[in-house]
Amino acid sequence: MAALPRLCRQAWEPVLARARGAVVFLDAAAAEALHWGGGGAGELLAAGALAVKPLPLPEGAAAAAAAASPRAVFVLSGPLRGWAAAAVRAVLETGSVRCCALLCAGEAEGGEPEESLRRWMGPGGRAEAVLRGAPLLVPLTAELGLLPASAGIVPPAGGPRQGGPGEPGLGALPGELRAAVRVLVGELDALLGAMGLREECFALGSLSRVLAAELASCAPARNRRRMATHRAAVVFVDRTLDLAGAVGHHGDNLAEKILSVLPKLPGHKTDVMVNMVELTALQTPDEACSIIAPGCLAQPK
């Protein structure tokens, strides 16, 4: 797993190569990955980006954000579907952007991504869509990475009994969860491919068995395994099972205390806010005063 930080940086290379003179728009999961493993917004600005904006934008802010430059780069943690497609469309339909690049995972709804982008920009617009290789990971350490885009994947409550021939497959899952599982399978396949691994899967829980079965049967994964030079065991565990002691991850340590006590950094699922005012001479009784930005666990190397 020594290659994990390298893979995290590698995922941002296509963005940095297209950032000069453009406004870069990122969804929350992509921003969190940039925060931990891509050098932060400063890396994009150093590469020539004019501004870095969130997706979706606040209501009524699309026109002002798009007017900053005729070039835009959109970075999505998932495919161009649903709310992500609506957020990108809101920016492009302002008419200010004439050249855009999209970096995403998976296919767009309603056809090829370039077609959708050109249609939203109107006549004369130029669009480029790049499907990511390595996924947008959060490298907590050199050996531990998280996928913030998959934080919402939770086994449905009150599902059928686990195990046995009657256990449902992917088709029995709700539509939104089914789409999320397909995206996660693609991300895992890309990660294993980037690391040159041929996996042997083990699963605990009904949703984990669906995920392992999908990874084992998808065509790109079969082709990758034929070319892989190393082997690895992959263990899938349903997130609802970590409430039990046998598969729990809870511990009485300093990191656990920090993550459970401090408030979350806005828009993030992994990092927390550290009050830095106590380390300065700028003491104020006004709790609403925020002269000093909060610290966090992720720091540039």
Side-chain angles (χ1 to χ4, degrees), residues 174-264:
E176 188 174 343
L177 179 57
R178 185 165 61 247
V181 166
R182 285 184 175 134
V183 171
L184 179 55
V185 166
E187 297 280 54
L188 291 174
D189 177 53
L191 177 61
L192 293 168
M195 302 180 76
L197 296 176
R198 180 174 70 254
E199 75 280 6
E200 184 177 1
C201 294
F202 303 89
L204 183 61
S206 58
L207 183 60
S208 292
R209 282 190 280 274
V210 171
L211 183 57
E214 288 298 308
L215 180 60
S217 62
C218 76
R222 289 198 299 268
N223 296 333
R224 168 183 53 78
R225 284 190 289 268
R226 282 196 290 268
M227 304 295 293
T229 55
H230 304 286
R231 298 184 63 183
V234 179
V235 181
F236 296 98
V237 180
D238 276 13
R239 293 184 61 192
T240 48
L241 294 180
D242 67 3
L243 302 175
V247 290
H249 58 80
H250 315 290
D252 187 11
N253 54 64
L254 180 59
E256 186 79 16
K257 298 296 184 185
I258 291 173
L259 293 172
S260 61
V261 172
L262 295 179
K264 292 290 185 186

Side-chain angles (χ1 to χ4, degrees), residues 46-70:
L50 300 182
V52 181
K53 300 289 184 180
L55 277 180
L57 287 162
E59 187 175 354
S69 172

